[in-house]
Amino acid sequence: MKKLIIIGFLFIGVSAIAFTLYNNKNELEEAATLAMKSSEYISVTVEKVEEKDVNRNFEANGVFEPSQELKLMSETSGAIVKINKRKGDYVKKGDVIVQVDDRLIRSDYTIAQLNLEQAGKDVKRYENLANTDAITKKQLEDNQKAYNIAEAQFSALQKRLDDTQIKAPISGYINEEYYEMGALVSPGMAIADLINTSQLKLSVHVTENEISKVKLGDPLSVRVNAIKGETFTGKVDFISKKADGSFKYEVIVLMTGSNLDKINPGMFGTAAFQFAQDGKVLQISRKAIVGSLKDPGVYTIQDGKAVYRPIKINPLTEGSIEVLDGLNASDEVIVSGLINVKEGTPVKVQ
């Protein structure tokens, strides 16, 4: 009996909730219908398409880098027996930085040199004998082959001997060293970091809109954050053909002019890109654009209704758009209230 009573109360409760929800739904629908009837238009604001001066100049920040930078590796094995250059020293291309113990290799080199000399004498002697038919052609060929083998062995040992003198492959400064007297080195081991600062470069990143204006060889002025009150010069030396992960393109500015010894790699700089100005262009607010910047459009008003017009644009700044096609000066475009606006929607300017 108690179960029947409980079930009865539950049924009555569920029915009451369903009835309440149904009534609420009807009330909301009636309110929405009433609102639609009472609002015959959407309030919007507009702005005129105007011809304005445009400044296409821009600046980009970056970091100065050396013209050359590499990590010098060992190509031999052995103990370091002499150090000629230390960290911070300037080296010319070909200067010996460290000398690795070469006693064993030099002994093998001397033997290979003697073998090569003897093989050369044997070839000459056999050539003379061949001219008198005192030996067979095969005997001459065997001696010539022996000479070639001795020559190859000598060249290999000469290369190994040269590798014991670890030389600078470029001119520049030793920025970091990884060696000490008596330390054992092996092939592939880092010896030193070399940087060539004879020509500095400034690496900056620019947007896709800015990269279209930049050309190789463009001269520009550069400010160095750490050097106040002085402007340097440079020229565009490299333009990336592919954007990075942040959708920006790398531009490398090769520094020219004087007083570049004041600038050190790692300093921050600002490159000022300046271009001929195009005078006045049609401009509208970024807020007027509907759709994406790749497929943009705007809404104008005709006979009290919204009319969609596709346009071609060129972004200028974050808040301003250049109109290339689709609008004329003095046309009015909707800039606010667009959330509910569609083609043919009745609108009224506030």
Side-chain angles (χ1 to χ4, degrees):
M1 186 64 179
K2 288 182 180 180
K3 289 184 179 180
L4 293 175
I5 294 172
I6 292 171
I7 293 172
F9 277 119
L10 289 174
F11 179 77
I12 293 170
V14 171
S15 300
I17 293 171
F19 180 75
T20 301
L21 292 175
Y22 179 76
N23 280 345
N24 290 342
K25 179 183 177 183
N26 288 339
E27 289 175 3
L28 290 173
E29 289 177 353
E30 290 175 2
T33 303
L34 182 61
M36 290 294 291
K37 289 180 178 179
S38 60
S39 179
E40 298 177 353
Y41 56 83
I42 293 176
S43 296
V44 297
T45 60
V46 297
E47 75 171 24
K48 284 187 177 181
V49 181
E50 296 181 342
E51 285 190 343
K52 298 179 181 179
D53 291 325
V54 60
N55 185 358
R56 301 187 184 278
N57 298 336
F58 66 91
E59 293 185 343
N61 300 320
V63 178
F64 288 99
E65 300 174 354
S67 57
Q68 290 178 295
E69 184 174 6
L70 61 82
K71 189 178 290 291
L72 178 61
M73 301 290 190
S74 171
E75 295 185 59
T76 189
S77 59
I80 294 176
V81 295
K82 187 178 181 181
I83 296 176
N84 296 326
K85 302 290 183 179
R86 304 298 315 216
K87 180 177 179 179
D89 288 347
Y90 179 82
V91 294
K92 294 180 179 180
K93 182 178 179 180
D95 283 353
V96 178
I97 297 177
V98 295
Q99 173 69 55
V100 177
D101 188 359
D102 63 353
R103 287 173 296 177
L104 291 178
I105 297 176
R106 189 169 290 279
S107 297
D108 292 339
Y109 172 82
T110 301
I111 294 172
Q113 187 176 32
L114 293 173
N115 288 337
L116 179 61
E117 292 174 356
Q118 183 60 48
K121 293 177 182 179
D122 290 343
V123 168
K124 288 183 179 180
R125 183 164 58 86
Y126 272 76
E127 286 176 343
N128 293 331
L129 291 173
N131 291 332
T132 60
D133 295 328
I135 60 171
T136 64
K137 183 178 180 181
K138 185 177 183 305
Q139 287 176 308
L140 177 60
E141 290 176 349
D142 288 343
N143 273 272
Q144 289 174 334
K145 185 182 296 184
Y147 174 81
N148 292 335
I149 292 174
E151 186 178 39
Q153 291 174 339
F154 176 75
S155 296
L157 283 165
Q158 190 172 42
K159 173 65 168 59
R160 289 179 58 194
L161 184 62
D162 289 342
D163 288 343
T164 61
Q165 292 185 326
I166 302 180
K167 303 175 182 178
I170 62 172
S171 297
Y173 290 92
I174 300 177
N175 194 54
E176 190 60 73
E177 63 178 32
Y178 307 101
Y179 52 83
E180 287 296 342
M181 181 67 73
L184 291 175
V185 299
S186 57
M189 178 178 171
I191 299 299
D193 293 338
L194 302 180
I195 59 171
N196 180 3
T197 59
S198 60
Q199 279 193 314
L200 285 173
K201 56 186 180 181
L202 177 65
S203 174
V204 300
H205 290 80
V206 302
T207 65
E208 62 180 74
N209 180 50
E210 294 166 341
I211 196 68
S212 62
K213 307 184 186 78
V214 181
K215 300 292 184 296
L216 286 174
D218 280 351
L220 39 78
S221 60
V222 177
R223 301 192 310 274
V224 183
N225 295 13
I227 304 174
K228 305 299 182 183
E230 190 167 356
T231 301
F232 300 86
T233 58
K235 66 177 181 178
V236 177
D237 189 58
F238 169 80
I239 302 173
S240 173
K241 298 298 182 183
K242 183 180 179 182
D244 59 17
S246 60
F247 303 103
K248 289 190 174 183
Y249 295 81
E250 184 183 24
V251 175
I252 292 180
V253 179
L254 188 65
M255 300 302 296
T256 59
S258 57
N259 298 328
L260 297 182
D261 55 334
K262 296 181 179 180
I263 307 174
N264 292 323
M267 287 184 174
F268 290 94
T270 301
F273 294 83
Q274 296 182 336
F275 309 94
Q277 305 305 308
D278 295 338
K280 296 181 181 296
V281 297
L282 293 179
Q283 295 185 44
I284 59 174
S285 170
R286 173 69 178 83
K287 296 184 292 184
I289 301 296
V290 293
S292 67
L293 293 179
K294 292 185 177 180
D295 188 22
V298 295
Y299 280 106
T300 58
I301 300 175
Q302 185 175 345
D303 299 328
K305 294 183 179 180
V307 178
Y308 177 79
R309 293 172 67 172
I311 60 174
K312 294 182 180 180
I313 64 171
N314 178 37
L316 295 176
T317 64
E318 292 184 0
S320 181
I321 298 293
E322 177 186 358
V323 180
L324 302 176
D325 188 32
L327 292 173
N328 299 311
S330 299
D331 285 346
E332 291 186 336
V333 294
I334 299 174
V335 292
S336 68
L338 287 167
I339 189 170
N340 294 315
V341 172
K342 297 180 180 179
E343 178 74 22
T345 301
V347 294
K348 184 176 181 179
V349 180
Q350 291 181 346

